[in-house]
Structures are given as C-alpha cells and as structure tokens.
C-alpha cells in the first residue's frame, strides 16, 4: 500500500498538470495590448457554425440528444433542448463575463471603446455518470473590434480546450460543465490581456 500511494499521487498530479496546460490562447492577428489600459469592455457572443462532440452541426447534436432523452422519459429531451439554448444567456455568457472582468479588472459597458466578440466554434459537452466522467471543453474565436465600427478589427485570437469541470465532482449537469469552460476561457483571456 505504501508503494501505491506515491504512484497514485504522481498520477493525479500529472493528470491535473495536463488539464491545466491544455488550454491555449493564440493571437493570430494584431495585439491584445490595446486592452491593457482600458477600464471598460463590451462583450458579445455568437455561436455560428458551432460543432458539438462528434457532430459537425449543432442542430444534429440537439436532435440526437433530444430523441435519446425523450426515449428514456417523454418530454425530458424537449426540456433539455430548451435549456441547451437558454444556458447561453443564463449561465455561459455570465460566467465568461464575470471571470474576464474580475481578472482583467474591467467593467462591462456597452459604450466601451472596444468590444470582444467571442464565437464558440466547438463544444465537447463531456459527461459525468458517477463512476466515469469526461470533462467538457470549448474552442472559440475571439475578435476585438472597435465598438463604434465593428468592422474595424483590432485583434484576432483563438482559444482551444478551455476546460469545464467541477473540482468537487458534482458536475452531472451538462450546463454546469460547459459554464465552467466559459469561466476558464474568460479568465485565461483576461490573463493574456494583462
């Protein structure tokens, strides 16, 4: 037992380190430096051409998941499908906003000089069935534009594999896992800005 304990601790530390470093932000055009001295920011979201899990189209995923859940319990899939869309405004976007503004020490303002447009391009919803789990994560494209003229792009970046997981393991709800991915993405982007 004494031999197994250090091996188990090492494996856990390695897994944690792999998850921490999995998230990447790459600036592909311009510079995030324009936001360094800003106190206000506007943030908008889009979900254009979003892929989900093994599905190239979000609509195909929603149809498949809705049918699967409705077979188990009539109406459950329909309820889930409504929550899938509603979670964007009620859970995902507020988490990103909160962690970005807190970490970057900025305030949300629709009249800010710059707007961040975050387009989610991929969602891995993950799962947690108690004895087995797979963390959620998101990928996205980030545009920083002038609020007065959103055609003036100041910078472009990508974020890959922003992880969504609960440290206490109570992330049985898909929305909970994905909202944590948005929180991590917001925090990571703010750190990159700072």
């Amino acid at each position: 037992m004494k031999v197994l304990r250090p091996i188990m601790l090492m494996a856990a530390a390695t897994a944690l380190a792999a998850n921490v470093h999995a998230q990447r932000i790459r600036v592909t055009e311009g510079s995030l430096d324009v936001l360094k001295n800003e106190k206000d920011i506007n943030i908008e979201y889009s979900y254009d051409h979003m892929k989900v899990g093994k599905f190239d189209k979000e609509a195909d995923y929603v149809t498949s998941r809705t049918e699967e859940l409705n077979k188990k319990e009539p109406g459950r899939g329909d309820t889930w499908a409504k929550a899938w869309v509603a979670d964007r405004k009620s859970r995902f976007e507020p988490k990103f906003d909160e962690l970005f503004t807190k970490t970057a020490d900025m305030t949300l303002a629709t009249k800010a000089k710059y707007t961040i447009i975050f387009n989610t391009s991929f969602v891995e919803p993950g799962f947690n069935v108690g004895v087995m789990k797979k963390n959620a994560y998101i990928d996205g494209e980030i545009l920083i534009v002038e609020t007065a003229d959103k055609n003036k792009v100041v910078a472009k970046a990508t974020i890959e594999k922003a992880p969504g997981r609960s440290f206490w393991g109570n992330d049985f709800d898909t929305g909970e896992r994905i909202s944590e991915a948005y929180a991590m993405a917001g925090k990571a982007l703010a750190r990159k800005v700072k």
Side-chain angles (χ1 to χ4, degrees):
M1 188 66 165
K2 286 185 178 185
V3 173
L4 285 179
R5 191 173 188 180
I7 292 170
M8 290 171 56
L9 287 173
M10 187 182 305
T14 304
L16 181 61
N19 278 336
V20 169
H21 295 293
Q23 177 173 254
R24 277 183 298 221
I25 295 182
R26 291 189 181 133
V27 178
T28 57
E29 187 178 306
S31 172
L32 301 179
D33 289 345
V34 296
L35 299 181
K36 272 191 178 176
N37 297 318
E38 295 297 315
K39 294 294 177 201
D40 297 327
I41 192 71
N42 183 37
I43 304 176
E44 296 178 0
Y45 299 88
S46 68
Y47 302 87
D48 298 336
H49 312 291
M50 184 169 72
K51 298 177 182 180
V52 182
K54 63 182 181 179
F55 295 89
D56 286 336
K57 294 180 181 174
E58 177 192 18
D60 294 340
Y61 168 73
V62 172
T63 299
S64 174
R65 185 76 175 138
T66 301
E67 289 172 0
E68 176 187 340
L69 291 172
N70 278 338
K71 283 180 187 173
K72 292 179 182 177
E73 180 185 327
R76 182 175 169 201
D78 300 322
T79 302
W80 173 87
K82 288 176 187 168
W84 175 261
V85 175
D87 281 350
R88 294 172 183 179
K89 294 279 183 218
S90 66
R91 297 169 94 173
F92 307 159
E93 296 169 14
K95 280 286 197 172
F96 185 97
D97 291 348
E98 176 189 355
L99 270 288
F100 179 85
T101 55
K102 181 179 178 182
T103 306
D105 194 26
M106 297 174 105
T107 304
L108 286 177
T110 55
K111 302 267 187 208
K113 183 176 181 181
Y114 296 105
T115 295
I116 294 171
I117 301 173
F118 186 87
N119 181 61
T120 305
S121 57
F122 178 79
V123 174
E124 170 51 60
F127 61 85
N128 185 346
V129 291
V131 294
M132 214 164 80
K133 73 183 277 183
K134 178 179 183 180
N135 292 331
Y137 70 87
I138 62 171
D139 295 342
E141 292 106 20
I142 300 157
L143 290 180
I144 299 173
V145 299
E146 291 183 9
T147 301
D149 181 359
K150 293 185 179 157
N151 291 319
K152 290 188 179 178
V153 177
V154 178
K156 290 182 181 180
T158 59
I159 188 161
E160 297 171 359
K161 297 192 178 186
R165 61 186 177 275
S166 169
F167 290 107
W168 306 112
N170 60 349
D171 56 357
F172 296 101
D173 176 52
T174 304
E176 178 66 24
R177 289 188 301 276
I178 297 171
S179 67
E180 288 303 312
Y182 278 88
M184 294 300 289
K187 187 174 188 176
L189 179 60
R191 285 182 174 165
K192 191 83 167 171
V193 166
K194 290 190 99 173

